[in-house]
Amino acid sequence: MLPNFTYVRARSEKEAIKHLASEGARIHAGGTDLLGCLRDRVFNAKKIVSISKLDFLHGIRKTAEGGLRIGALTTITEVAQNPIIRNRYNVLSQAASEVASPQLRNQGTIGGNICQKPRCWYYRGEFHCLRKGGDQCFAAEGENQFHCIFGGDMCYIVHPSDTSPALVALGASVRITGKRGNRTVLMEHFHVPPDKDVQKETVLEPDEIVTEIILPVASPALKSSYRKVRARRSWDFALAGVALAIEFDGTTVAKAKVVFSGVAPVPWRSKEVEKSITGKTIDANLAAKAAEEAIKGAEAMGKNAYKIPLLRGVIEEELIAITKL
Ligand SMILES: Cc1cc2nc3c(=O)[nH]c(=O)nc-3n(C[C@H](O)[C@H](O)[C@H](O)COP(=O)(O)OP(=O)(O)OC[C@H]3O[C@@H](n4cnc5c(N)ncnc54)[C@H](O)[C@@H]3O)c2cc1C
């Protein structure tokens, strides 16, 4: 059952920020994650602030520089189906298409997708874990088959969003507004790893709203793709995955961004893989070597060792696949 709360539908940015500044207020966008968290008592809310009537948060437009601006309330379906995103930022279109189910993609927003809470079953369940202010991580010695192999530090969640790794690979940034004004943060720095703060997933302050996501101009030499492996074909979160954004000069890799999903508490950029392919032509041999680099530093927990060869295989296959796009 949902707890009691006050509900307000903000009519302006100023009104939304004013309501969010009150204690225990939470943003409601599509509600597909928020309401589940409230129902399951993952956290509480005294006030729910709907931002659905803030028109400036809707829609996809070109920026003056030739990039793209995606309003935070743009649905995941709209992101997946937008023709410019499909043509120039394929990795984002593919990642959005892999999110959840059609119903959730129609209701869920891109802003909510990058701000959603982790899916760790202890965090979501009746366990007062470290992330909820308790004093231990139950996954460390428990059922950790879906937990991280990189970046775990006291807490071992995996970042749940498919669009976030794609946005990091594309060099996107996030525009934020709040009572202290506006700021822009690179997607790469938007999520907070547990070694920085074990109770926060993003850099957002409670009164802050993500207003839009900015994609930089896409080079004509850019090829990009998203690959996600999950336990079943119907909706499911990534067990391991990769977002690739590679600029080619002929067959040579001129620039590369490689970001893993499903294996770390934040979208996990692999500079090792990027370094191992830059300046080279990707062939089967190089893809296999790069895949070995990908898993350097991975640390298995009791029940998730399978993720290491899984990730290696995903990287090897997707590096070959992108050369054929
Ligand atoms: C069954 C199921 C399967 C799923 N599978 C996947 C999957 O495979 N891949 C995947 O990526 N996701 C998956 N999801 C997550 C789903 O994509 C998210 O629930 C959805 O994207 C959240 O969007 P929303 O607009 O409904 O956000 P809400 O539920 O409204 O909000 C989510 C969180 O973000 C905050 N928030 C929302 N908008 C903003 C904003 N503009 N600024 C600041 N904070 C904000 C809210 O306060 C809340 O904490 C799944 C969810 C479910 C229920």
Side-chain angles (χ1 to χ4, degrees), residues 85-98:
I85 298 182
R86 265 196 188 160
N87 287 336
R88 298 200 205 145
Y89 307 97
N90 182 43
V91 59
L92 180 58
S93 174
Q94 281 187 333
S97 309
E98 295 278 346

Side-chain angles (χ1 to χ4, degrees), residues 25-325:
R26 301 258 176 191
I27 294 177
H28 178 277
T32 61
D33 184 47
L34 179 75
L35 297 180
C37 286
L38 291 176
R39 189 197 52 219
D40 296 341
R41 312 282 161 143
V42 176
F43 50 73
N44 218 333
K46 289 188 182 153
K47 189 189 274 183
I48 297 298
V49 183
S50 167
I51 55 172
S52 64
K53 293 292 172 204
L54 302 184
D55 289 341
F56 73 103
L57 299 184
H58 288 274
I60 301 173
R61 286 197 298 274
K62 282 192 185 159
T63 62
E65 297 76 30
L68 218 57
R69 170 260 183 219
I70 308 174
L73 286 178
T74 308
T75 66
I76 297 164
T77 299
E78 287 168 320
V79 172
Q81 294 179 353
N82 180 275
I84 303 176
I85 298 182
R86 265 196 188 160
N87 287 336
R88 298 200 205 145
Y89 307 97
N90 182 43
V91 59
L92 180 58
S93 174
Q94 281 187 333
S97 309
E98 295 278 346
V99 170
S101 62
Q103 293 91 333
L104 286 159
R105 293 196 290 274
N106 289 341
Q107 177 68 18
T109 64
I110 186 85
N113 191 257
I114 65 171
C115 296
Q116 63 176 293
K117 295 288 178 183
R119 287 277 155 181
C120 168
W121 41 34
Y122 296 106
Y123 173 71
R124 294 261 172 173
E126 291 168 4
F127 294 84
H128 192 54
C129 72
L130 218 49
R131 190 160 287 275
K132 289 198 286 204
D135 57 10
Q136 65 168 307
C137 167
F138 295 89
E141 301 296 328
E143 295 299 321
N144 49 36
Q145 44 272 59
F146 299 127
H147 289 74
C148 68
I149 52 173
F150 292 104
D153 188 344
M154 298 181 298
C155 165
Y156 299 89
I157 57 162
V158 292
H159 176 71
S161 154
D162 287 306
T163 62
S164 297
L167 291 167
V168 173
L170 290 170
S173 36
V174 183
R175 291 222 172 117
I176 297 166
T177 188
K179 66 175 188 242
R180 282 160 306 280
N182 302 328
R183 59 186 178 126
T184 302
V185 177
L186 263 182
M187 253 317 272
E188 196 170 342
H189 302 141
F190 181 69
H191 293 103
V192 176
D195 62 352
K196 291 250 166 67
D197 188 335
V198 82
Q199 286 179 23
K200 262 186 108 162
E201 291 82 35
T202 70
V203 298
L204 292 175
E205 296 299 331
D207 64 285
E208 285 187 314
I209 307 170
V210 171
T211 55
E212 56 196 19
I213 292 164
I214 305 294
L215 299 181
V217 181
S219 154
L222 178 71
K223 287 185 181 183
S224 69
S225 69
Y226 185 66
R227 173 84 185 277
K228 168 180 179 180
V229 178
R230 50 190 158 180
R232 47 189 192 159
R233 278 309 298 160
S234 64
W235 72 263
D236 219 340
F237 292 87
L239 296 175
V242 65
L244 295 177
I246 302 182
E247 285 179 32
F248 286 90
D249 178 4
T251 60
T252 307
V253 173
K255 270 191 196 167
K257 283 237 186 104
V258 176
V259 187
F260 302 156
S261 60
V263 292
V266 294
W268 194 257
R269 188 163 166 199
S270 175
K271 295 206 172 153
E272 293 78 8
V273 176
E274 293 171 9
K275 202 168 147 209
S276 69
I277 59 172
T278 303
K280 300 182 185 142
T281 296
I282 301 174
D283 59 13
N285 203 12
L286 185 70
K289 278 193 189 144
E292 282 304 326
E293 289 298 312
I295 57 170
K296 277 193 182 155
E299 281 181 59
M301 303 176 75
K303 298 188 176 178
N304 70 358
Y306 72 93
K307 283 199 176 194
I308 297 178
L310 182 63
L311 179 68
R312 184 175 52 211
V314 165
I315 303 301
E316 187 172 349
E317 282 185 12
E318 201 52 26
L319 283 175
I320 297 288
I322 200 169
T323 63
K324 298 182 179 147
L325 287 180

